[in-house]
Amino acid sequence: MFRHSCNYPYYFDDNDCENNGYGRCGRDRGCPGSFEPYNCCRPGPIGPRGCPGPIGPVGPTGAAGLDGLDGATGPTGPTGATGAAGAAGPTGPTGATGAAGPTGPAGADGAAGATGPTGPTGATGAAGPAGPAGADGAAGATGPTGPTGADGAVGPAGPTGADGATGPTGATGATGAAGPTGATGPTGAAGAVGATGATGATGPTGATGPTGPAATVTAASPVADATSAEDVVERFNELLANLRAAGLLATDNA
């Protein structure tokens, strides 16, 4: 068997203890170079820690997951088209002619006989064929994924030295089969009435009317410029009066 020490690789046989006194009681507990035979019943000093063993093999694949649940029932399908109207029934037979009125007395003509009764109504026509079946409802949702498979078994421990690392977890079990498609939903109700159409475009602009007569502007009487702060109010009031007289400013009711 091959043993790798942290210091030196060498071979040993588990039966060396019986043959030479070496092996686990000698070289197996230290580095090579000491060939002094030891009694296997008397252990030698503890040697350095061996290197970690190799990682164990990958565990087996987990079992397949359970089948998914049945999918939910699909939504209600649209309303089927209205069947064609049945053909009109045949016209009933013509009623019998009424009896002739009695002959009137001599002179004025006798009154006309009463109209005979109306014939019976014809039989109702057969119902039209049923409209086509509504479209199939949407497929049901996929069933949930089956549970994860069990973890793989722990890999075997490595040879002497530090224990080998635990083998990686086994691969996840396969996803359960999808549940069967849900049953077709019932025919949907009639759709709502469509929205009112959009408002039509605005009509073209009408032709421009004829130009009105030119306005006549009457100039207001002039006002002398103010020459000092004292006559500003006087000149301003004079200007207002001239504008009112020319019809350019409404008359002050005050």
Side-chain angles (χ1 to χ4, degrees):
M1 178 177 181
F2 179 73
R3 168 60 58 80
H4 185 282
S5 170
C6 292
N7 298 321
Y8 191 82
Y10 60 92
Y11 292 85
F12 78 93
D13 185 1
D14 289 343
N15 295 325
D16 281 351
C17 179
E18 298 177 2
N19 299 331
N20 303 319
Y22 301 139
R24 285 190 298 260
C25 297
R27 285 179 294 178
D28 192 30
R29 292 193 175 273
C31 296
S34 174
F35 297 95
E36 179 181 357
Y38 284 85
N39 186 336
C40 288
C41 298
R42 185 185 66 184
I46 297 174
R49 179 183 295 276
C51 295
I55 297 174
V58 177
T61 301
L66 300 176
D67 290 343
L69 300 176
D70 291 345
T73 302
T76 301
T79 303
T82 304
T91 303
T94 303
T97 303
T103 302
D109 294 336
T115 304
T118 303
T121 303
T124 303
D136 293 340
T142 303
T145 304
T148 305
D151 293 343
V154 178
T160 306
D163 292 339
T166 303
T169 303
T172 303
T175 303
T181 302
T184 301
T187 302
V193 178
T196 303
T199 303
T202 303
T205 304
T208 304
T211 304
T216 302
V217 179
T218 302
S221 300
V223 176
D225 294 339
T227 59
S228 65
E230 289 76 11
D231 64 351
V232 169
V233 175
E234 181 180 355
R235 294 288 180 266
F236 180 72
N237 288 333
E238 184 180 356
L239 174 62
L240 293 179
N242 292 345
L243 291 174
R244 292 189 184 99
L248 300 177
L249 185 66
T251 301
D252 186 2
N253 293 328

